[in-house]
Amino acid sequence: MPSPEAVKPMVGTTVMVAPKHLGGFAEACLEKLGFPPEDASILADRWVWAARRGKPTHSVIRLVQVAAAVREARVKPKVDWSPVRQRGGTTLLDARDGYGVIAGARGMRLAVEGARQHGNGVTVIRNCDNTGALGMFPGIAIAEGMIGMAITNSNPIMGGWGGARPLIGNQAWSMGAPAGKNPPLLLDMHLAAGSLGTRRESAASGTPMPPGIAADSRGVPTTDGKAALDGFMLPMAGYGGWGIAVMWELLTGVLSGGMFLEDVGAHGKPQSERVSLFTMALDPTAFMSAAEFDARVDELIDRIHASPTAPGFDHVRVPGETGGEHWNRHEQTVPVAQADLDRLKPLAAELGVALPLG
Amino acid sequence: MPSPEAVKPMVGTTVMVAPKHLGGFAEACLEKLGFPPEDASILADRWVWAARRGKPTHSVIRLVQVAAAVREARVKPKVDWSPVRQRGGTTLLDARDGYGVIAGARGMRLAVEGARQHGNGVTVIRNCDNTGALGMFPGIAIAEGMIGMAITNSNPIMGGWGGARPLIGNQAWSMGAPAGKNPPLLLDMHLAAGSLGTRRESAASGTPMPPGIAADSRGVPTTDGKAALDGFMLPMAGYGGWGIAVMWELLTGVLSGGMFLEDVGAHGKPQSERVSLFTMALDPTAFMSAAEFDARVDELIDRIHASPTAPGFDHVRVPGETGGEHWNRHEQTVPVAQADLDRLKPLAAELGVALPLG
């Protein structure tokens, strides 16, 4: 039973790069692509975060996509980030087809400022393209000693409960909190019962999928990958997962004044995805001292780790543990696949930026 | 595939009682039991809410439990509700073994006040006995035109991921939002893959349980109800449900400075449960006008309702729909089972309060 947050081992040659070199490279490329220095720095910082957490697919390799999206005018590199509305710790932003990772990071920074002053802060953002790995945003709160939460809506891939067509997105979300001696807690998940790849693999191989993952074009649950490709994914935990998906749609697309349900675009299409993001920060020091909070989170983690295990398990894991261990091992240098550098080479040459070489 | 929020039909004779008579009865009894008038009114109001939503098991019949708990000094009727800490919209309360429904309602009221001023508000409360049906708390936010969320931790009934003993609670939680012409959205769920009753029924009948619901005493998943009674419930959605359970423990027992994991007591034991509650309110008018928000929530619900259905479904339901329909049908009178009135009769006589008769 693998945990869904497992860090995938990198295949092929890996180059070890200092975080500041990797970030500097990304920042320089982004500026050449027309991003203002502050936004280039914000995005590069999140990509370095992803590399250090063991999520290379959400790191600098995304430059290739971003460059294409900017050139196709799907993503706007220059965005007026002035709040649409603000009350206390609460802010509404319109990303105006800006890149979602920048939008979410700016949103969480505002939420953290709000939390510092008012105990908690919420930023809701509409019209974002590509929100990346959702853990990137609580990661910002954690670095400031706060609890963070982020939710995105996305293009419909799941059916409603008893529905016959894709109606709602995978609704990725993440929540995290700092700890003391342990790596921070960081949950990063989506709401579909399985990954989209399961359908494709089953359709290609003819091997049935496990039950409860997908439905056919009439909305009837199926284990046949081919039938499922014409249908949709089912929510995890049945009606419960569907219910959470609806509430996440409310906190994102509805509350942001942006797109919801079928109006949300798909990734990789000519138009911006126009997803919405909900980001929240909660300051533990509104409740107790930072030292006491860190100690209590450590106690929670330590007691879970010390609890007896079932056959085949060496300990009970907590959310974010694998990524946290990767983070701790890669303070000085982060692994970048040579294959990713090869893919980035033409863009780097074109923009006149030297590839990072460790 | 029944939805978990289904309203159970009442068996036997039902008496139709005006909400104010039901509430007045409960309030009078609670005052006689030593609750201050304001707390008696708060609790009676939530019990009437439960009756009107079609949740009679969380309504005035609970007086029997509350009376016993007060007499056994497990629940303190008089609590100093002064905040332990407060910053902006954020409050920490200590219920000091007070009744959880009062604590949660007071917490949500403070969160609503916080949200009115700062956009959002959070109250975390430790040392509560019996938090009732979690939807009661978002119900308060909804009545004020706000989005509400509530989470409780509880005594361990679920194992950790790969664990061999009950480690964490069912972590009931609820989230809701007002709509315009439609009933409000209201999700009310827990995190175990099935109900505790499933194990007992399977153990008694010998019929296997569905897979994925429970594990035996070694932590190995089982469909044998007898083996599961010595083991524990599994989280919904596997590792995902376990991850949410840990984050909910963080927002409740850890952040409140209260009890967490095995230190949380069970319901019906001689000691207070000492659960913790997280309540949050978010004011949509920090983002748009109330009319626009209501219209957008209606659009979300209407589009879901209008979407094509799978065979056997008449429409795709949204969270809280069944309870909302019950609510709309019972503005003037709410159904109370004669059997419940019969059970309340000795207590009412003892306290010198007349039973409500419609």
Side-chain angles (χ1 to χ4, degrees), chain A residues 296-308:
Chain A
R296 288 177 70 83
V297 179
D298 273 343
E299 189 192 333
L300 177 74
I301 297 169
D302 291 345
R303 283 169 61 180
I304 291 171
H305 281 170
S307 69

Side-chain angles (χ1 to χ4, degrees), chain A residues 1-5 84-92 115-124 126 146-147 149 160-165 167-168 173 175-178 185-187 189 191 218-221 236-237 239-244 246-251 253-263 278 280-289 292-293 296-297 299-300 303-304 307-311 313 315-321, chain B residues 1-5 84-92 115-124 126 146-147 149 160-165 167-168 173 175-178 185-187 189 191 218-221 236-237 239-244 246-251 253-263 278 280-289 292-293 296-297 299-300 303-304 307-311 313 315-321:
Chain A
M1 293 183 281
S3 102
E5 51 147 338
V84 179
R85 283 201 184 209
Q86 206 153 24
R87 184 203 297 175
T90 316
T91 309
L92 175 64
R116 200 161 278 137
Q117 208 176 331
H118 308 284
N120 59 341
V122 169
T123 309
V124 181
R126 63 187 178 224
M146 295 195 189
I147 298 167
M149 184 177 179
W161 186 253
R165 72 154 68 136
L167 186 61
I168 206 159
W173 68 291
M175 194 183 140
L185 290 172
L186 187 60
L187 178 72
M189 63 185 291
L191 298 184
R218 297 184 310 144
V220 178
M236 69 174 209
Y239 191 82
W242 160 243
I244 302 175
V246 173
M247 300 317 295
W248 281 186
E249 195 75 11
L250 177 100
L251 288 180
V254 174
L255 190 60
S256 72
M259 304 293 148
F260 54 86
L261 299 178
E262 302 96 329
D263 296 338
F278 173 92
M280 180 170 90
L282 187 57
D283 189 349
T285 68
F287 300 91
M288 61 189 71
S289 74
E292 190 182 350
F293 181 73
R296 288 177 70 83
V297 179
E299 189 192 333
L300 177 74
R303 283 169 61 180
I304 291 171
S307 69
T309 52
F313 289 86
H315 71 287
V316 179
R317 298 185 81 79
V318 295
E321 189 166 325
Chain B
M1 291 183 282
S3 100
E5 52 147 338
V84 179
R85 281 201 185 210
Q86 206 154 26
R87 184 202 298 173
T90 316
T91 309
L92 175 64
R116 199 162 278 135
Q117 207 177 333
H118 308 284
N120 59 339
V122 168
T123 310
V124 180
R126 64 185 177 224
M146 295 195 189
I147 299 167
M149 185 177 180
W161 186 252
R165 72 153 67 136
L167 187 60
I168 205 159
W173 68 291
M175 194 183 139
L185 291 172
L186 187 60
L187 178 71
M189 64 187 290
L191 298 183
R218 296 184 310 144
V220 178
M236 69 174 210
Y239 191 82
W242 160 243
I244 301 174
V246 173
M247 299 317 295
W248 281 186
E249 196 75 12
L250 177 100
L251 286 180
V254 174
L255 190 59
S256 71
M259 304 293 148
F260 54 85
L261 299 178
E262 301 98 329
D263 296 337
F278 173 91
M280 179 169 90
L282 187 57
D283 189 350
T285 69
F287 300 91
M288 61 188 72
S289 74
E292 190 183 350
F293 180 74
R296 289 177 70 84
V297 179
E299 189 192 333
L300 177 74
R303 283 169 62 180
I304 291 171
S307 70
T309 53
F313 288 87
H315 72 286
V316 179
R317 298 184 82 79
V318 296
E321 190 167 325

Side-chain angles (χ1 to χ4, degrees), chain B residues 40-349:
Chain B
S41 163
I42 286 172
L43 181 50
D45 174 62
R46 288 302 86 195
W47 282 344
V48 170
W49 182 95
R52 198 171 158 192
R53 292 278 310 183
K55 289 181 171 292
T57 54
H58 286 90
S59 188
V60 285
I61 188 62
R62 296 268 165 157
L63 260 174
V64 177
Q65 277 179 14
V66 169
V70 167
R71 282 157 182 184
E72 291 157 13
R74 187 170 77 243
V75 164
K76 302 268 191 321
K78 287 193 174 60
V79 173
D80 172 8
W81 292 109
S82 322
V84 179
R85 281 201 185 210
Q86 206 154 26
R87 184 202 298 173
T90 316
T91 309
L92 175 64
L93 294 180
D94 188 339
R96 300 175 174 87
D97 297 341
Y99 198 60
V101 178
I102 299 169
R106 282 186 169 272
M108 185 59 90
R109 285 176 177 205
L110 288 168
V112 165
E113 281 171 36
R116 199 162 278 135
Q117 207 177 333
H118 308 284
N120 59 339
V122 168
T123 310
V124 180
I125 316 153
R126 64 185 177 224
N127 297 326
C128 307
D129 196 76
N130 205 322
T131 52
L134 270 277
M136 290 175 164
F137 310 123
I140 291 169
I142 289 168
E144 301 289 333
M146 295 195 189
I147 299 167
M149 185 177 180
I151 308 169
T152 184
N153 64 352
S154 47
N155 68 302
I157 60 137
M158 288 203 297
W161 186 252
R165 72 153 67 136
L167 187 60
I168 205 159
N170 210 350
Q171 317 295 66
W173 68 291
S174 176
M175 194 183 139
K181 63 181 173 57
N182 288 292
L185 291 172
L186 187 60
L187 178 71
D188 192 345
M189 64 187 290
H190 53 70
L191 298 183
S195 75
L196 290 167
T198 318
R199 285 192 297 190
R200 285 194 300 269
E201 286 155 23
S202 164
S205 68
T207 312
M209 298 180 294
I213 286 188
D216 66 17
S217 62
R218 296 184 310 144
V220 178
T222 182
T223 58
D224 175 358
K226 270 197 187 124
L229 280 178
D230 296 328
F232 51 81
M233 303 300 292
L234 291 168
M236 69 174 210
Y239 191 82
W242 160 243
I244 301 174
V246 173
M247 299 317 295
W248 281 186
E249 196 75 12
L250 177 100
L251 286 180
T252 55
V254 174
L255 190 59
S256 71
M259 304 293 148
F260 54 85
L261 299 178
E262 301 98 329
D263 296 337
V264 181
H267 182 52
K269 291 289 161 75
Q271 298 81 27
S272 165
E273 296 176 40
R274 298 206 173 149
V275 298
S276 291
L277 271 163
F278 173 91
T279 62
M280 179 169 90
L282 187 57
D283 189 350
T285 69
F287 300 91
M288 61 188 72
S289 74
E292 190 183 350
F293 180 74
D294 288 353
R296 289 177 70 84
V297 179
D298 272 343
E299 189 192 333
L300 177 74
I301 296 169
D302 292 345
R303 283 169 62 180
I304 291 171
H305 281 170
S307 70
T309 53
F313 288 87
D314 63 348
H315 72 286
V316 179
R317 298 184 82 79
V318 296
E321 190 167 325
T322 311
E325 287 161 358
H326 197 278
W327 176 272
N328 286 346
R329 280 198 307 277
H330 294 96
E331 190 183 347
Q332 302 302 323
T333 56
V334 296
V336 181
Q338 183 62 50
D340 283 356
L341 291 176
D342 293 345
R343 279 186 64 203
L344 287 166
K345 198 176 279 183
L347 180 66

Side-chain angles (χ1 to χ4, degrees), chain A residues 15-144:
Chain A
V15 182
M16 299 308 294
V17 182
K20 69 173 181 183
H21 291 163
L22 190 67
F25 164 73
E27 211 173 318
C29 290
L30 289 167
E31 287 190 29
K32 298 266 185 178
L33 287 168
F35 287 86
E38 192 183 349
D39 284 345
S41 163
I42 286 172
L43 181 50
D45 174 61
R46 289 301 86 194
W47 282 344
V48 170
W49 182 93
R52 198 171 158 193
R53 291 278 311 183
K55 289 181 172 292
T57 55
H58 286 90
S59 187
V60 286
I61 188 63
R62 296 267 166 157
L63 260 174
V64 177
Q65 278 179 13
V66 169
V70 167
R71 281 156 183 185
E72 291 157 13
R74 188 170 75 244
V75 164
K76 303 269 191 319
K78 287 192 173 61
V79 172
D80 172 9
W81 292 109
S82 322
V84 179
R85 283 201 184 209
Q86 206 153 24
R87 184 203 297 175
T90 316
T91 309
L92 175 64
L93 294 181
D94 189 339
R96 301 174 173 86
D97 297 340
Y99 198 60
V101 178
I102 299 169
R106 283 186 169 272
M108 186 59 91
R109 285 177 176 205
L110 288 168
V112 164
E113 282 172 34
R116 200 161 278 137
Q117 208 176 331
H118 308 284
N120 59 341
V122 169
T123 309
V124 181
I125 316 153
R126 63 187 178 224
N127 297 324
C128 307
D129 196 75
N130 206 322
T131 51
L134 269 277
M136 290 176 164
F137 311 124
I140 291 169
I142 289 168
E144 301 289 334

